[in-house]
Amino acid sequence: MRIKFAITGLAAMLLAAGAVQAQDFKPRLVRFGYGLVEDSNQGRAVRMFAKEVEKATGGKMKVRAIGNASLGSDTQMQQALIGGAQEMMVGSTATLVGLAPEMAVWDTPFLFANTKEADAVLDGPVGEKVKATLEPKGMVGLVYWENGFRNLTNNKRPIAKLEDLQDVKLRVMQNNVFLDSFKALGANAVPLPFSELFTALETKAVDGQENPFNTVLSSKFYEVQKYLTVSNHVYSPWIVTVSKKWWDTLSPAEKKVLQDAAIKSREFERKDTREEAAKALAEIKTKGMQVNELPSAEAGRMRDKLAAVNAGIAKSVGQGTWDSVQAAVKQARAK
Ligand code: TF8
């Protein structure tokens, strides 16, 4: 009798535990879109995130990683998230500026001197505050990922001084800070979605572009670009976002799984990106690109030219946010 009772009790307990789990995790499909190719730092991190979520939900929540901008450019995917037609994406904060103006603060040229500063500021209170501005717009920001410091490539000439940017038809992200920055530097800046960039370079519709080493490699820009100039002119991050419409249908346990997996993916992604970037320059050279470093005096001249752009960013993100970011950078730099 006793044993039977114990067994029934155990069975009841197991059933109850199962019921809790079934309630916490509904079968769900997460379409997670991104713009780069599958074999890229972006693709690897999305797949890592997918595995984490599936493991944590016992396979209840399935994450389908959809790369190559197959679900659309960054801005198209953002609209799909807002409308609830797509659950998740990762893309540049720069492409969110039209919706969430404060994101423009991350496009400030020469804002961070190194990744330590970037991590501290983005993961700190002001990074959180800027991320939170997405919610009223219909998206929930989970974490920032590293895209990397951006460098110039083009087919006209090595950029050894400010004047070398003159008349270079340079593709920029679809964002006024990038447009204004490169116009101020004398380039002929042309905004284009990333998904159209390779073709634009190949057909010579534009002469050049700017992106981190990792992307120059993964997107094979070396096939259509001759010169690479190490300029590190801006660190403009990626951000992982969720459809707010969909987020609101999730249980607290499901939200926690996504948040925890996002943090794990951030650590994985930054490490992976940095390891790849450290080896990238040598590989870019073997692919035949001619590489030069932008002399620091010339970077300084560029900074001077960008004073008015910086003032414009401060105005559009609000002086409070601008000052908080500057203070956070200063604090990180002092550490
Ligand atoms: C760019 C960005 C891209 C990202 C990516 C498609 O140049 O650096 O890497 O937007 O998510 O557009």
Side-chain angles (χ1 to χ4, degrees):
M1 272 302 120
R2 251 227 173 98
I3 290 173
K4 195 176 161 203
F5 181 76
I7 289 173
T8 326
L10 184 67
M13 258 168 64
L14 285 175
L15 265 177
V20 167
Q21 185 159 0
Q23 226 174 30
D24 283 352
F25 305 127
K26 290 211 184 103
R28 296 188 187 268
L29 177 68
V30 183
R31 285 157 293 187
F32 191 153
Y34 61 97
L36 296 191
V37 295
E38 284 173 19
D39 187 14
S40 64
N41 52 341
Q42 203 173 48
R44 289 189 291 274
V46 174
R47 288 192 295 278
M48 183 271 178
F49 174 87
K51 271 201 198 126
E52 275 298 317
V53 170
E54 296 194 13
K55 200 171 75 189
T57 60
K60 281 270 172 71
M61 208 187 274
K62 296 246 184 300
V63 181
R64 191 179 294 159
I66 308 169
N68 276 305
S70 299
L71 294 178
S73 65
D74 282 8
T75 50
Q76 287 168 328
M77 289 194 284
Q78 288 156 18
Q79 290 307 320
L81 258 62
I82 293 166
Q86 181 183 329
E87 291 73 28
M88 288 186 71
M89 67 172 286
V90 58
S92 283
T93 56
T95 55
L96 281 163
V97 169
L99 288 165
E102 289 188 43
M103 284 288 166
V105 78
W106 310 133
D107 299 329
T108 306
F110 303 106
L111 177 65
F112 303 131
N114 52 50
T115 55
K116 188 192 83 178
E117 292 176 14
D119 292 356
V121 177
L122 291 166
D123 301 345
V126 71
E128 285 298 320
K129 187 180 155 250
V130 173
K131 188 154 68 70
T133 64
L134 291 174
E135 280 214 31
K137 306 295 172 181
M139 282 168 284
V140 177
L142 292 184
V143 283
Y144 295 101
W145 281 359
E146 176 152 299
N147 187 354
F149 284 96
R150 301 175 80 88
N151 295 298
L152 292 155
T153 71
N154 84 100
N155 274 332
K156 279 210 148 167
R157 59 183 84 93
I159 310 299
K161 55 182 188 310
L162 172 62
E163 288 72 17
D164 292 331
L165 272 172
Q166 279 292 327
D167 73 21
V168 173
K169 213 169 170 190
L170 191 81
R171 174 271 177 177
V172 294
M173 289 194 276
Q174 295 163 291
N175 155 317
N176 281 337
V177 178
F178 276 86
L179 195 61
D180 295 346
S181 296
F182 282 102
K183 274 190 185 160
L185 298 178
N188 178 1
V190 186
L192 269 184
F194 185 83
S195 44
E196 290 169 29
L197 180 51
F198 187 90
T199 307
L201 294 169
E202 193 177 33
T203 60
K204 307 222 161 20
V206 293
D207 302 315
Q209 63 89 42
E210 40 88 53
N211 254 300
F213 298 146
N214 308 62
T215 303
V216 172
L217 279 175
S218 62
S219 291
K220 298 192 167 40
F221 290 158
Y222 53 81
E223 288 182 353
V224 289
Q225 293 280 271
K226 181 136 188 61
Y227 306 107
L228 184 144
T229 301
V230 182
S231 50
N232 292 316
H233 54 272
V234 71
Y235 180 101
S236 180
W238 283 331
I239 188 166
V240 176
T241 49
V242 185
S243 160
K244 171 94 167 66
K245 250 193 180 160
W246 180 70
W247 181 257
D248 289 343
T249 69
L250 302 179
S251 69
E254 287 171 325
K255 287 179 184 169
K256 185 162 187 316
V257 163
L258 294 179
Q259 274 159 335
D260 291 349
I263 289 176
K264 281 192 186 162
S265 74
R266 177 181 73 195
E267 305 317 315
F268 168 89
E269 195 272 345
R270 286 177 179 164
K271 187 165 176 279
D272 178 54
T273 299
R274 287 162 197 176
E275 281 169 7
E276 185 180 53
K279 291 181 285 187
L281 206 49
E283 200 174 336
I284 285 169
K285 285 181 190 163
T286 64
K287 298 288 187 192
M289 288 190 84
Q290 194 178 311
V291 176
N292 76 302
E293 303 243 348
L294 181 73
S296 63
E298 290 302 316
R301 289 180 68 215
M302 288 186 183
R303 264 175 215 251
D304 294 346
K305 280 261 178 219
L306 292 165
V309 173
N310 283 352
I313 301 172
K315 205 171 157 203
S316 63
V317 304
Q319 196 64 41
T321 297
W322 176 266
D323 290 344
S324 307
V325 169
Q326 295 298 325
V329 171
K330 218 173 153 191
Q331 201 186 0
R333 200 160 286 176
K335 267 193 190 153

